[in-house]
Structure formats: C-alpha cells, structure tokens
Amino acid sequence: MTDHETYMQRCLQLAALGLGTTRPNPSVGCVIVHKNRIIGEGFTSPYGGSHAEVNAIESVVDKSLLKESILYVTLEPCSHHGKTPPCSDLIIEHGIPEVFIGTTDTSSKVAGKGIEKLKESGCRVIKGILEKDCKAHHKRFLTFHDKKRPYIILKWAQSQDGFIAPRTKQQKRPVWITNEYSRQLVHKWRTMEHAILVGTNTVKEDNPFLTSRHWQGQNPIRVVLDQKKSLSEEHDVFNKDSDTLIISEETIDFKNPIAIQICEVLFKHKIQSIIIEGGLKTLQTFINEGLWDETRVFTGDIILNEGIQKPYFSGKLLTEERLMNDSLKTYNNT
C-alpha cells in the first residue's frame, strides 16, 4: 500500500464514524498531511453541520502549514452552497496545493464541478485513490443519485435446514433462529440505514418495533407494505419511536411489479438506503425483480424440520463470518 493509499484508508476509517447521521449528505472522511505527518482530520458532522473538509481544516492548529500540505478526501469536495458554503472554496481559500480524492461525487449538484473549480485555481487534483473502497463506502449516496433508488439490503435468518420461520406459530413468543449477538448486530445495521421495510404479515404475526433499541443510534424510517390498509394503529410499528410510511393500493398498483414502484416511492421520499426484512413474499419480490444490491443471510444452529422456506436467490459471496454459533454470509447482486 502506497502512502497515498494509507492516508485514504485513514479517511475511510473516519468516514465510517458518521454513517447514519449525515443524510442526505454522504458521510465523508478527510485527512490533511504535511511532510508525511497528519496535522488534521475530520468527518462529516450530522446534517446541518460542517462537512469533513471543514472539520479537518479547523482541526489544524497551525493554519500556515496548509499551504504546504496535501488534503485527502473520500469523495469529491462540494462546489455548491447548501446548509454550508462549498468545501472547494475553503480549500482554495487556504491555499492547499494538492488534493487526493477517492471518488467523484455523481450527484447533479457536484458531478465534477468541485474538481474543476480546484483545478482552475491551480490546485493539483488526483482522483481514484482506493476508488473501489471509497465507492463501496459511499454506496448508499451514489446508488441513490446514479440509479434514482435507495441502496437495497435484503436480510433474513434461516435455520440449519433452510427455514426462515415455523409454518404456524404455536406460541405468542417469537422463535429466535439466531443468537443475541447476531440480533444486536442487526440493530447496529438499522442505525446505519435510512429505512427498514416489512410486509403486512410480518407486522401481524411478529408485531415488531423495527427500531435500533439494542444499539445506540438513530432509528430507521419504518416502511410497511399494507395493500388493504388492514393494520391497526395498536401495532408497535405505529408507536412514536420513529416515522412510519405505509405503502398501500392507494400508493402503488399491486397488479403490476411492485418492487420497482416501491423504489419510486422511496426515491420521492429521499430515502437513500433500506433494509428489506421480510417476510418471504416481500423478499422474493425484490429478488425476482432484480432490485437488490446486497444480501445478508444469518444461519443459526436451530433445526425447525418444517416451516417457511428461505428465499431463492443467486449472488456473489463477498464475506463469511462466525458470530458464536451463527454464520453470517454477505452477497452482492452480480
């Protein structure tokens, strides 16, 4: 790994600290280096606050060193006025001579304009440092702007014999397929994503909260498919813990493919990422329409013998890990 890649890797570590708090802005990481020594670091503040470049520059004690420094950033600096002034202007104002960028910002408000402004000022700009990793980190923001839909994560837990739930529930308490560590990880994921979606039957049978109550962070927006608006407000998805969006036959046409219509509704609501948690019909619908980016599958050590079969899908295995007695496999849609 080159020095440039090492500093960009540090940018990515910083950027991860802001995930789930910066929307609609991306969570960016920034490092400022003077003669092979980091003199400033920053990541994007919660929405309405400062961008990563601003926080990094502000953290530099001796601002005179900026004129001899290199700025590393995971995403192209912005070039427009929003809640805050353009970061590219601030970089130019402080005379930073070199900027290394992980990947280009493809949103219509930036789309290369930040790089162009920096170059016009005489700044040397190099892009594409750890570009694959930077794109992976910014996958939610980039998918939203490039594909006009949220980044879609499918998630389920299955038994050793391939069932995601018993056929009929003989008890009111839920049947847990995974252990408490896996369930806590799911709550951590919820703090990182913009929304979470389930179907009507899941709400009726499990009465889930769909919150991140076992991990500190923001609750996702709850999205419920309820074609006939048959759900009662007594269900826990309607409590005050988070906003809930109902998608019914008044919202989309259930006689036509619905996943693409759901994506259109979510895009209109500016939802950048979503976890699809079930049930089987809902998961399979997104799979069949090819509208998913990532699948996360837990396998517990429980055997159900019968029940609701796991979804059928095909994807490229990215990672596999153990969480005590559970297995977690992550796939992407190729």
Side-chain angles (χ1 to χ4, degrees):
M1 184 176 284
T2 67
D3 288 345
H4 297 313
E5 290 172 337
T6 299
Y7 293 131
M8 190 60 73
Q9 186 63 50
R10 177 56 182 162
C11 289
L12 286 166
Q13 292 173 348
L14 292 165
L17 299 176
L19 277 177
T21 67
T22 65
R23 292 182 297 262
N25 294 329
S27 179
V28 176
C30 181
V31 166
I32 300 172
V33 177
H34 178 263
K35 295 183 178 179
N36 296 318
R37 182 174 67 91
I38 294 176
I39 61 171
E41 294 185 334
F43 60 93
T44 310
S45 299
Y47 181 60
S50 301
H51 291 188
E53 299 93 325
V54 177
N55 289 331
I57 290 171
E58 285 300 312
S59 74
V60 176
V61 176
D62 185 355
K63 299 291 193 295
S64 68
L65 298 179
L66 291 170
K67 288 181 169 59
E68 301 173 345
S69 298
I70 301 173
L71 183 144
Y72 295 84
V73 64
T74 57
L75 191 70
E76 174 184 1
C78 64
S79 55
H80 63 286
H81 285 269
K83 291 281 185 179
T84 59
C87 291
S88 53
D89 287 357
L90 185 66
I91 294 169
I92 294 167
E93 176 187 331
H94 284 280
I96 298 174
E98 290 186 278
V99 175
F100 284 73
I101 296 169
T103 189
T104 304
D105 184 338
T106 56
S107 65
S108 59
K109 291 181 178 179
V110 183
K113 300 183 188 73
I115 292 174
E116 182 180 349
K117 181 179 285 190
L118 289 171
K119 286 183 175 179
E120 288 176 350
S121 74
C123 181
R124 178 172 177 251
V125 179
I126 294 89
K127 62 179 181 178
I129 309 299
L130 292 186
E131 184 170 23
K132 183 178 179 181
D133 295 331
C134 290
K135 283 185 174 180
H137 168 77
H138 291 296
K139 58 193 177 185
R140 300 159 181 87
F141 180 79
L142 296 175
T143 297
F144 181 80
H145 289 285
D146 293 348
K147 298 185 177 181
K148 311 304 179 189
R149 65 163 175 82
Y151 185 85
I152 299 170
I153 300 167
L154 309 182
K155 191 281 295 182
W156 69 83
Q158 61 190 38
S159 64
Q160 286 285 334
D161 48 350
F163 299 102
I164 63 172
R167 179 68 60 185
T168 56
K169 296 196 174 178
Q170 303 297 326
Q171 53 187 2
K172 291 184 178 180
R173 294 170 58 187
V175 176
W176 294 114
I177 291 176
T178 55
N179 61 44
E180 60 183 301
Y181 302 102
S182 297
R183 297 198 292 273
Q184 186 181 46
L185 177 59
V186 170
H187 283 240
K188 179 182 178 182
W189 289 345
R190 290 176 180 179
T191 67
M192 299 164 67
E193 309 308 333
H194 204 163
I196 183 170
L197 182 147
V198 296
T200 309
N201 289 338
T202 297
V203 174
K204 288 182 176 179
E205 294 174 7
D206 297 340
N207 193 28
F209 288 94
L210 301 181
T211 60
S212 56
R213 58 198 178 279
H214 297 312
W215 194 269
Q216 185 175 358
Q218 294 183 355
N219 289 322
I221 296 171
R222 299 172 292 202
V223 182
V224 178
L225 294 180
D226 187 13
Q227 181 176 356
K228 300 295 183 181
K229 284 193 170 181
S230 60
L231 295 175
S232 161
E233 290 196 2
E234 295 179 358
H235 287 100
D236 289 328
V237 292
F238 296 106
N239 65 22
K240 303 296 184 182
D241 293 340
S242 184
D243 293 335
T244 300
L245 172 64
I246 297 296
I247 297 180
S248 70
E249 59 188 1
E250 297 175 3
T251 315
I252 64 173
D253 181 2
F254 280 80
K255 295 178 182 178
N256 290 312
I258 67 169
I260 188 170
Q261 296 182 74
I262 293 169
C263 287
E264 290 170 354
V265 171
L266 298 175
F267 183 75
K268 289 178 181 177
H269 282 80
K270 296 181 169 40
I271 292 174
Q272 293 190 2
S273 66
I274 191 162
I275 302 176
I276 313 297
E277 284 219 357
L280 174 61
K281 183 179 179 181
T282 302
L283 287 162
Q284 198 67 58
T285 294
F286 278 84
I287 292 169
N288 291 348
E289 292 188 39
L291 284 169
W292 64 277
D293 298 289
E294 191 176 322
T295 295
R296 301 172 183 173
V297 182
F298 290 98
T299 302
D301 61 1
I302 187 174
I303 296 176
L304 293 178
N305 293 315
E306 61 177 3
I308 300 173
Q309 286 278 358
K310 63 184 179 181
Y312 174 78
F313 80 107
S314 176
K316 179 183 178 182
L317 179 63
L318 295 178
T319 62
E320 182 174 2
E321 58 184 298
R322 300 290 303 183
L323 289 93
M324 301 296 287
N325 56 324
D326 291 345
S327 165
L328 170 60
K329 293 182 179 181
T330 303
Y331 304 81
N332 71 359
N333 190 1
T334 56

